[in-house]
């Protein structure tokens, strides 16, 4: 009589190395998102008049809107860079979510603001390593749940 085969023995999910690869890939994606935000902030800032520009400021509301958008993009870039540094070495979900929550509070934002970027990072992994992709999806889902709590 043979013993029953336990599926978890063979298909137990991503291993520790997969989780570390996923953490590194998510962090890299977040750094790329931060670069895009920083470029947007710089481009918006470059459209604002300086003290040396001739003539009066014609539409102060438009300028305030542009300045606000530039500041928000710069803030998002800084937060994404900090999130990448937190996530890169890996760790437990509770440790990572607590550190991310502290980072978002320092930025004056709720922790849930990172969830869309984390989900996008997991979807944009530049790897064909299926285990790392699965680990990234699982880790981001766990972080999203922890950040929403």
């Amino acid at each position: 009589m043979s013993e029953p085969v336990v599926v978890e023995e063979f298909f137990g999910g991503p291993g520790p190395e997969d989780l570390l690869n996923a953490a590194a890939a998510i962090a890299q994606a977040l750094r790329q998102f931060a670069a895009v935000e920083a470029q947007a902030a710089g481009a918006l800032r470059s459209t604002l008049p300086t003290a040396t520009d001739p003539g009066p400021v014609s539409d102060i509301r438009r300028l305030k809107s542009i300045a606000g958008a530039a500041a928000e993009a710069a803030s998002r870039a800084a937060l994404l860079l900090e999130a990448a540094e937190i996530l890169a070495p890996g760790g437990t979900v509770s440790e990572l979510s607590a550190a991310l929550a502290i980072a978002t509070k320092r930025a004056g934002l709720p922790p849930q603001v990172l969830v869309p970027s984390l989900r996008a990072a997991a979807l944009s992994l530049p790897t064909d390593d299926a285990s790392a992709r699965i680990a990234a999806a699982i880790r981001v889902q766990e972080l999203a749940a922890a950040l929403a709590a």
Side-chain angles (χ1 to χ4, degrees):
M1 184 164 175
S2 66
E3 302 249 345
V5 175
V6 179
V7 174
E8 286 79 23
E9 287 179 15
F10 299 103
F11 304 105
E17 186 70 23
D18 299 321
L19 289 171
L20 290 174
N21 289 341
I26 290 169
Q28 182 57 33
L30 291 176
R31 286 183 192 101
Q32 291 170 345
F33 296 166
V36 170
E37 291 285 353
Q39 289 172 345
L44 286 166
R45 232 180 269 116
S46 72
T47 66
L48 295 172
T50 65
T52 60
D53 289 343
V57 174
S58 60
D59 187 356
I60 193 71
R61 290 175 302 211
R62 183 177 68 82
L63 295 176
K64 283 178 65 177
S65 174
I66 293 170
E72 288 295 319
S75 293
R76 281 190 303 272
L79 181 58
L80 289 171
L81 284 174
E82 188 170 0
E85 291 304 312
I86 290 168
L87 295 174
T92 67
V93 172
S94 61
E95 293 168 343
L96 295 173
S97 62
L100 290 172
I102 291 169
T104 57
K105 285 181 185 177
R106 267 197 311 269
L109 298 168
Q112 298 86 346
V113 75
L114 284 174
V115 172
S117 295
L118 290 171
R119 290 182 195 264
L123 291 172
S124 68
L125 296 185
T127 180
D128 59 355
D129 182 352
S131 295
R133 287 180 166 282
I134 292 167
I138 291 169
R139 179 52 46 105
V140 165
Q141 187 59 33
E142 292 169 343
L143 285 170
L147 291 172

